[in-house]
Amino acid sequence: MDFFQAQNDARRNTNRFVLLFIVAVMVLVLLTNFLVMAFMGAFSAYFGNDLVMGRYADSLLASGGNSADILSWAFWKAFLRVFDWQMFFGVGFIVTAIVAAASFYKIMALSSGGKVVAEMLGGRLIRPNTELPSERRVLNIVEEMAIASGTPVPLVYVLPEAGINAFAAGFTPGDAVIGVTEGSIRHLNRDQLQGVIAHEFSHILNGDIRLNIRLMGLLHGILIISIIGSYLLRYRSSSRRRRSDSTAATVVLGLGLVAIGSVGSFFGSLIKASVSRQREYLADASAVQFTRNPDGIADALRKIGGFAEGSTLESPSAAEVSHAFFANGVRSMLASFLATHPPLGDRIRRIQPHWNGEFLEAGRQADEIISTETPEPVANQSFPFQGAISPAVADIAFAMNNVGRPQQQHLEYAHALIDQVPNELIEAVREPYGARALIHALVINKDSEVRKSQLEHLEKQGDQGVHELTARLLTLVDALGNQFRLPLIEISIASMRQLSPSQYQLFKKNLSVLIEADNKISIFQWALQKIVFHNLDSGFNKPSVFSVTGKYSALSQLENEIGILLSLLVHAEHDNYKDAEKAFNAAKRQLDNIHIKLLQSSIINLNELDTAIDRLALLKPLLKPRVLKACAASITVNNHVSVIEAELLRAFSAAIDCPMPLLLNPLNKG
């Protein structure tokens, strides 16, 4: 399954669990009605003391008076006529309102992104500049994978749990976090930990994290009935000295609500299981494809099976997040039926078909090779090229065919890139002040007069220390190869997520001033600003939890936006109108039946481009590859790719939530 199909399936799964949620609410309404009617003495009113009074008697009389006719249609037809529909709909409205309010409250509480989930589980943030070897190992793996896949580096939390487990959470890659238990850090070697983290990256790339957070919010509404019942029982316990009929009735009501809540819990587990299991198989396969090391993730699963604590978490909130874990995080009496994850053995055999059935002890590393076969990367061979192509164009083709599906080559190249970056720059971008200074330095103009005014502005308006650090990094940034720019930006984003809201707003304001200091915005400056703000805004400005994805179902709905995007892309490299037209027509051929025209460069407004890209991000997932292929066709029409074209393509791809992996062929010219 490719990235776009996985994204589309995530949307369909959302619709699926919403339908199951509605069914669950209807069941809760019926059961709560029954309980409330019993609690209020409804049976007495309906049946009377001798079963010949009240509405039951009316139903019998209307059906001919024979109690044996209770199963007949005539009886129930009469019963429905005298049924207290006002009470039924009143209780139904109250239950639905309570469930909806509880779901809304929980979703809003989770709207700050993945860090809320991590903190709910007792997680502790690993600072990007940590020097602890065990934590540094985890962060290095996460950094390499993020850079390889073309996504911002997520924050990493360590959970105080002995079990071997991990999770990813958030609404978007920009506010995503990865959590790893202490047991995972202590008992997994680098290859195994890399396999686990690659699995979690798959959930980020495929859109599963947004699905999981919405699932947590909606299921909280189903469980609220049980929570209310538990509260009533605690209230009764605190007032047990006052024995009366009312307190006894409160106990009955509380127990009834807890019982009904258990039905809600059953439905919640059923919904999570129905949505989660196949996504876990897909994430396992993606991890193997990413690392090209099936033994890594398979041995992590084998180690869970041979570990006394397994993958279980002790946190009281673990059940709420169970569907987001790497492996089953909670024990259940109906584990085989309601488990959110497939059995360990099934997952291992899909990765290692010749597995001998033995698990690994947590205290030792795997020393045998179960399978020497390394799966070939799965690529969508639909990129529009024929004949001999240059290495740079082949690189674009490889990246395009692996959007959201980075390969081992990308991971190895990311590792090599980080090793080549000067230590002073790496140390700087791993803390908030240095990260801001690096971004500022990337947009500082090489013209001495403009540069002077930019630095003076930072000295007056920037946070204390940012100006000095920016000035110190300028020499290193000026000598920096183009292939290092986007990876450093992606690491910087993780560090800047630790800024306070006021610091972030000041950073945004200063960055805009620096970019506009020479009264013009270069394409690179625009791309940098788009990537940084697109990813950080989702963390500092709470994303709309009810935002519509897949709003547009046809490219014809966004013809104007596609025209703006492609026009800017071809004009970025071609000053000659005929050359630009040739590139534009190459792109147009990838968009059947779409009526677009090449715009003059003088009328393209970058604000309009921002709006166009934001709307293109709302395309249905299966339509996005056509837009990206059109972009790729336009920049490769002459069998050559410039630096600015490659950076723009990756910026566009990231902005419409289709992260493109690293380009393996460094482009230092153009």
Side-chain angles (χ1 to χ4, degrees):
M1 183 185 296
D2 66 18
F3 166 79
F4 301 101
Q5 185 63 53
Q7 289 264 320
N8 191 61
D9 286 353
R11 288 185 64 253
R12 291 173 60 188
N13 275 334
T14 300
N15 298 333
R16 180 181 175 186
F17 86 67
V18 167
L19 178 61
L20 289 172
F21 173 77
I22 292 171
V23 172
V25 172
M26 291 172 64
V27 172
L28 290 180
V29 167
L30 290 172
L31 292 177
T32 307
N33 257 291
F34 180 81
L35 176 66
V36 170
M37 288 178 181
F39 177 73
M40 296 176 64
F43 284 131
S44 175
Y46 274 59
F47 303 129
N49 293 329
D50 55 3
L51 296 182
V52 293
M53 297 175 61
R55 299 179 184 186
Y56 179 76
D58 292 340
S59 300
L60 284 176
L61 291 172
S63 61
N66 186 351
S67 61
D69 288 337
I70 191 171
L71 300 178
S72 69
W73 168 243
F75 169 81
W76 286 106
K77 186 176 180 181
F79 181 78
L80 290 174
R81 276 202 304 270
V82 297
F83 186 76
D84 191 344
W85 289 105
Q86 185 175 1
M87 176 181 286
F88 178 83
F89 285 116
V91 172
F93 174 79
I94 292 172
V95 171
T96 304
I98 290 174
V99 170
S103 293
F104 179 78
Y105 167 80
K106 189 65 174 182
I107 290 175
M108 293 307 297
L110 295 170
S111 63
S112 294
K115 66 179 182 180
V116 178
V117 179
E119 291 167 359
M120 185 172 71
L121 292 168
R124 171 181 58 82
L125 176 66
I126 300 179
R127 300 291 175 184
N129 58 349
T130 181
E131 295 297 330
L132 289 176
S134 59
E135 294 181 351
R136 186 73 260 157
R137 179 180 62 146
V138 176
L139 289 188
N140 287 344
I141 293 173
V142 172
E143 281 182 358
E144 291 164 12
M145 290 191 171
I147 291 170
S149 58
T151 63
V153 178
L155 295 178
V156 182
Y157 285 77
V158 58
L159 306 184
E161 300 279 357
I164 298 173
N165 221 322
F167 74 93
F171 280 98
T172 66
D175 66 17
V177 306
I178 286 178
V180 183
T181 62
E182 290 180 351
S184 298
I185 296 174
R186 185 177 302 117
H187 297 294
L188 299 182
N189 64 24
R190 195 183 199 279
D191 286 347
Q192 294 160 0
L193 196 56
Q194 189 179 64
V196 171
I197 292 174
H199 173 104
E200 298 307 325
F201 258 93
S202 173
H203 287 310
I204 294 174
L205 294 169
N206 290 337
D208 296 338
I209 54 173
R210 175 185 287 268
L211 174 69
N212 287 341
I213 280 198
R214 285 178 170 172
L215 195 57
M216 288 173 61
L218 289 181
L219 294 185
H220 181 74
I222 294 179
L223 299 177
I224 194 65
I225 303 298
S226 178
I227 294 172
I228 293 173
S230 299
Y231 173 79
L232 289 175
L233 290 177
R234 286 197 299 271
Y235 171 78
R236 166 65 184 91
S237 177
S238 65
S239 59
R240 60 181 178 272
R241 294 179 181 177
R242 296 174 294 167
R243 297 186 179 277
S244 66
D245 293 339
S246 63
T247 54
T250 302
V251 171
V252 173
L253 180 61
L255 288 172
L257 290 176
V258 169
I260 292 172
S262 67
V263 176
S265 178
F266 170 81
F267 269 99
S269 298
L270 185 63
I271 292 171
K272 287 193 286 187
S274 67
V275 170
S276 178
R277 290 190 185 186
Q278 288 304 315
R279 310 299 294 176
E280 294 305 315
Y281 283 131
L282 174 61
D284 286 346
S286 297
V288 172
Q289 181 177 317
F290 196 169
T291 63
R292 296 291 295 277
N293 180 10
D295 294 333
I297 186 171
D299 286 344
L301 292 168
R302 292 175 65 204
K303 193 159 282 188
I304 289 173
F307 188 37
E309 284 80 3
S311 54
T312 304
L313 275 69
E314 300 298 329
S315 170
S317 300
E320 198 173 352
V321 195
S322 60
H323 56 294
F325 292 132
F326 171 71
N328 281 322
V330 294
R331 293 186 175 92
S332 171
M333 295 178 63
L334 298 174
S336 60
F337 179 59
L338 297 178
T340 54
H341 293 65
L344 283 178
D346 290 355
R347 292 174 68 182
I348 295 169
R349 283 193 176 88
R350 288 205 179 195
I351 302 168
Q352 294 179 331
H354 305 296
W355 176 50
N356 59 13
E358 294 183 1
F359 292 111
L360 292 173
E361 296 178 9
R364 68 181 182 89
Q365 309 297 348
D367 52 9
E368 70 267 41
I369 301 298
I370 303 300
S371 172
T372 58
E373 297 180 4
T374 302
E376 289 300 316
V378 179
N380 173 11
Q381 303 298 330
S382 58
F383 190 79
F385 277 107
Q386 294 179 349
I389 57 177
S390 68
V393 174
D395 195 12
I396 292 288
F398 187 61
M400 284 289 299
N401 289 334
N402 289 288
V403 167
R405 289 285 184 272
Q407 304 292 308
Q408 182 195 25
Q409 297 97 311
H410 300 115
L411 191 58
E412 291 174 349
Y413 186 46
H415 180 83
L417 276 180
I418 294 174
D419 282 348
Q420 294 173 46
V421 176
N423 285 335
E424 187 175 355
L425 279 180
I426 282 291
E427 291 173 2
V429 298
R430 284 175 173 164
E431 57 88 24
Y433 273 86
R436 280 180 289 176
L438 181 279
I439 299 298
H440 289 151
L442 284 171
V443 300
I444 293 292
N445 203 294
K446 287 183 168 52
D447 180 270
S448 59
E449 289 300 317
V450 178
R451 174 172 289 200
K452 181 181 177 182
S453 68
Q454 288 173 316
L455 291 174
E456 286 176 352
H457 172 81
L458 270 185
E459 187 174 16
K460 294 177 182 177
Q461 302 297 329
D463 276 333
Q464 185 177 2
V466 172
H467 162 261
E468 291 78 5
L469 191 50
T470 301
R472 194 169 78 234
L473 295 180
L474 274 176
T475 302
L476 291 172
V477 170
D478 287 343
L480 197 64
N482 291 317
Q483 70 270 30
F484 298 107
R485 295 195 295 194
L486 285 179
L488 285 173
I489 291 170
E490 287 159 353
I491 297 175
S492 297
I493 288 171
S495 299
M496 287 190 289
R497 285 173 63 185
Q498 300 174 67
L499 297 173
S500 68
S502 60
Q503 287 176 322
Y504 176 59
Q505 292 305 319
L506 180 60
F507 162 74
K508 286 185 69 174
K509 180 180 178 181
N510 285 334
L511 184 61
S512 297
V513 171
L514 295 181
I515 288 175
E516 297 168 4
D518 59 353
N519 297 317
K520 58 184 179 181
I521 301 177
S522 71
I523 296 299
F524 169 73
Q525 289 173 333
W526 174 86
L528 178 148
Q529 188 179 51
K530 186 67 178 176
I531 291 172
V532 171
F533 292 170
H534 174 74
N535 287 294
L536 286 177
D537 281 351
S538 62
F540 286 96
N541 306 324
K542 289 187 177 182
S544 173
V545 294
F546 303 108
S547 59
V548 178
T549 56
K551 179 179 179 180
Y552 300 106
S553 57
L555 294 180
S556 58
Q557 295 175 276
L558 297 175
E559 289 178 346
N560 182 57
E561 287 76 8
I562 295 172
I564 292 172
L565 171 64
L566 293 176
S567 295
L568 180 129
L569 196 55
V570 300
H571 284 305
E573 179 64 17
H574 303 289
D575 295 328
N576 183 285
Y577 186 82
K578 284 190 175 181
D579 291 338
E581 189 175 37
K582 178 183 176 182
F584 188 85
N585 288 335
K588 192 174 179 180
R589 285 192 289 272
Q590 302 300 319
L591 303 167
D592 299 333
N593 303 318
I594 299 297
H595 304 290
I596 56 176
K597 62 180 181 178
L598 176 61
L599 304 176
Q600 295 285 348
S601 59
S602 58
I603 66 172
I604 299 176
N605 183 295
L606 290 180
N607 289 329
E608 290 180 352
L609 178 63
D610 277 334
T611 302
I613 290 177
D614 290 341
R615 296 189 71 187
L616 287 168
L618 298 179
L619 275 170
K620 286 192 172 180
L622 294 180
L623 293 175
K624 291 180 180 180
R626 292 180 61 190
V627 176
L628 290 180
K629 288 174 187 175
C631 292
S634 73
I635 69 173
T636 56
V637 66
N638 292 325
N639 206 18
H640 165 78
V641 181
S642 70
V643 171
I644 192 60
E645 288 175 323
E647 289 181 334
L648 274 177
L649 180 61
R650 291 194 73 204
F652 292 154
S653 183
I656 63 173
D657 301 318
C658 300
M660 183 180 296
L662 269 176
L663 298 180
L664 304 176
N665 184 52
L667 299 168
N668 282 306
K669 299 178 181 179

